[in-house]
Amino acid sequence: MTETTRTAERPVLASGRPVTSPLSDVRSLSRKMVGHFVDTVVACRTMPTDAVSGDFTSATRLCLELAVAMYEGTDVPEKIRRLEDAAAGWAREGIPLGTIHRAVHEGFRLGTDLVYAHATPADLDGVKHTARRVLDVLETITVAISDAYVKEQRAAVAEHHHAVHTLTTALLSGHPTSTMARECGIDIADAYHVLALSIPAHPDEHNPALDRDIVARRKLRRVQTALATRCGNGVLSLLSVDGGTVLIPTTTIADTDLDALVDTLSAAALVPLTATVVDADPEQVPQAATEAHQLLDTVQHLHTRPGLHRMHNLAAEYQITRPGPGRDALGALLAPLGNHPELLQTLRTHLANDLNRQRTARDLHLHTNTVDYRLKRIKQLTGCDPTNPVGQWYLQSALVAHTYTNPTHRPANTPPPTRRTEPIRPR
């Protein structure tokens, strides 16, 4: 039998009077209880005076009325609705749910002491009968408060996410944002770290026994949670399960800590993330985001290892991969090697090994004389000497352009280029 269908029952007696008698003066009792809450429930002491004397006292009286109604078996849906409205208000005001539950349970201790204060051994049957009713009342009040509180919190979170999405979109599109920021309640930082983020698929996304969409969304939620935990509410982001753009106020995290942040996000995602960063003032965010994603595109085409990459570490590669006659000319430099994949593989491996012949021979399972022969053939076919500093610079630049325009041309067993800490320059 639920609280909405329960009909009036004969009251249970204790010491010859209904057990609800001590609770009948709900106005006086509610004031006493609230005073007790302020004295004993630590979190209640910091609540504003008007909240304690107003909403909190009214809600306590409402809980008492609800308890009496349920003890007596009368209908209570209207009282439950009013309690839910009060809980929604507490959520909007930021009163912790734990504080509310502690007050409720403390109120039940006081109420139970009052109800059974004069019970005698002869009232054992009545006490046993009402013990279950006490749990029913506590369950009804707790569930009503929790459901309404969580519902309101979810609505507030959704509203905040919408505000973040709106403001982030405005910043990325270069639209005026001062008015929008005030409406959203989010301050615009003086400068941002603009991150372009690539999130690869989690291995479970390829497991036919699992729902790929659920796995991907869980991965994204972990990343968003880690980002919010590390950077706070000032971070703005537009992220999908594959990646996106993140704007982090430069005052929130130092540039030197961004590498650790990307590592933290990778740990949360359970997959290695790749990111690039460009700093910018709010007005420069659109251009910075474009550059960051172009740099990320370059990093991915070059098969550079995961982690955070900055423009000054890949400036030469970035410039070489921009469309234009320069990239075309460099890419054409390796055209004569198109029919000699073993030579292209040798050149890539040799440059990646910092021109160490022995290491190149070991990686390719060749004799060093064979490496020397192949390097000579590369010089004959391209006109650039791999053993000459200028020739090395042109060949390495040509490899960057060639890899970008022919990303699948690199043999599968060729090691990817190592992550650079210095730009390409003649040796």
Side-chain angles (χ1 to χ4, degrees):
M1 182 179 300
T2 65
E3 63 272 15
T4 57
T5 60
R6 188 180 290 123
T7 56
E9 300 175 2
R10 189 172 67 179
V12 178
L13 303 180
S15 299
R17 62 177 183 170
V19 293
T20 57
S21 295
L23 309 179
S24 57
D25 188 359
V26 293
R27 289 186 177 275
S28 175
L29 184 56
S30 61
R31 287 194 296 269
K32 292 180 181 179
M33 282 188 169
V34 171
H36 178 75
F37 299 156
V38 173
D39 291 338
T40 60
V41 181
V42 175
C44 289
R45 300 174 190 171
T46 60
M47 292 178 61
T49 303
D50 60 336
V52 172
S53 60
D55 293 343
F56 213 57
T57 300
S58 298
T60 302
R61 183 165 62 248
L62 179 60
C63 287
L64 284 170
E65 293 173 353
L66 178 60
V68 171
M70 291 189 65
Y71 267 118
E72 295 176 349
T74 58
D75 290 338
V76 295
E78 176 59 24
K79 293 181 174 60
I80 292 176
R81 186 193 63 76
R82 289 165 53 198
L83 183 60
E84 290 172 342
D85 290 343
W90 298 331
R92 288 191 295 271
E93 294 168 8
I95 298 175
L97 183 58
T99 299
I100 299 169
H101 282 322
R102 290 188 189 94
V104 168
H105 283 76
E106 188 63 26
F108 263 81
R109 294 187 187 96
L110 293 176
T112 301
D113 289 344
L114 289 173
V115 167
Y116 299 126
H118 303 290
T120 66
D123 300 317
L124 179 60
D125 290 339
V127 171
K128 289 168 58 178
H129 182 75
T130 57
R132 177 61 181 268
R133 191 74 57 80
V134 171
L135 295 179
D136 289 342
V137 175
L138 181 59
E139 177 190 25
T140 298
I141 291 176
T142 302
V143 170
I145 290 175
S146 299
D147 286 351
Y149 194 99
V150 171
K151 182 179 179 180
E152 187 65 27
Q153 285 283 71
R154 285 177 176 172
V157 169
E159 183 177 348
H160 177 73
H161 284 173
H162 177 72
V164 168
H165 185 278
T166 300
L167 184 57
T168 307
T169 302
L171 279 168
L172 290 173
S173 62
H175 293 160
T177 55
S178 56
T179 302
M180 192 174 300
R182 285 192 292 271
E183 292 175 351
C184 296
I186 302 172
D187 293 331
I188 296 179
D190 293 332
Y192 287 97
H193 300 302
V194 182
L195 271 69
L197 201 63
S198 174
I199 308 176
H202 187 278
D204 285 348
E205 292 180 54
H206 304 296
N207 186 340
L210 301 176
D211 188 314
R212 178 177 181 178
D213 290 339
I214 293 178
V215 174
R217 286 195 298 269
R218 285 170 56 85
K219 174 189 67 179
L220 176 59
R221 282 199 300 272
R222 293 195 302 270
V223 170
Q224 291 171 325
T225 300
L227 186 62
T229 300
R230 177 62 183 85
C231 301
N233 294 330
V235 64
L236 304 174
S237 65
L238 286 179
L239 292 174
S240 71
V241 296
D242 301 314
T245 307
V246 179
L247 309 180
I248 305 175
T250 54
T251 54
T252 298
I253 181 171
D255 180 79
T256 52
D257 294 328
L258 289 175
D259 296 85
L261 172 64
V262 173
D263 291 341
T264 298
L265 299 182
S266 296
L270 303 180
V271 288
L273 274 57
T274 303
T276 55
V277 62
V278 177
D279 286 359
D281 296 336
E283 297 78 11
Q284 301 169 330
V285 164
Q287 179 61 30
T290 298
E291 292 179 2
H293 279 279
Q294 288 176 344
L295 183 60
L296 180 60
D297 188 47
T298 299
V299 167
Q300 292 178 312
H301 273 86
L302 296 179
H303 304 279
T304 306
R305 71 184 184 184
L308 181 65
H309 302 269
R310 295 173 173 82
M311 181 66 78
H312 67 266
N313 289 332
L314 290 166
E317 290 88 339
Y318 174 82
Q319 194 60 43
I320 290 168
T321 56
R322 295 306 90 202
R327 189 181 76 179
D328 295 342
L330 284 171
L333 192 63
L334 297 182
L337 303 185
N339 295 325
H340 303 278
E342 75 286 356
L343 298 182
L344 191 60
Q345 180 188 37
T346 300
L347 177 62
R348 287 185 181 279
T349 306
H350 193 51
L351 291 175
N353 284 332
D354 202 23
L355 309 179
N356 186 307
R357 294 165 57 252
Q358 287 76 19
R359 194 182 306 159
T360 300
R362 184 172 62 252
D363 287 348
L364 297 178
H365 306 289
L366 299 173
H367 192 279
T368 52
N369 290 342
T370 304
V371 173
D372 291 338
Y373 170 76
R374 290 186 178 183
L375 294 178
K376 290 178 181 178
R377 285 287 293 151
I378 291 170
K379 175 184 178 181
Q380 293 171 355
L381 293 172
T382 64
C384 295
D385 186 356
T387 64
N388 177 278
V390 175
Q392 294 163 8
W393 188 89
Y394 272 102
L395 287 169
Q396 187 152 4
S397 300
L399 274 174
V400 171
H402 181 79
T403 302
Y404 193 88
T405 55
N406 301 273
T408 61
H409 200 275
R410 177 167 59 88
N413 61 343
T414 303
T418 56
R419 181 179 178 183
R420 295 183 176 277
T421 56
E422 296 293 338
I424 295 176
R425 59 168 62 95
R427 296 179 181 275

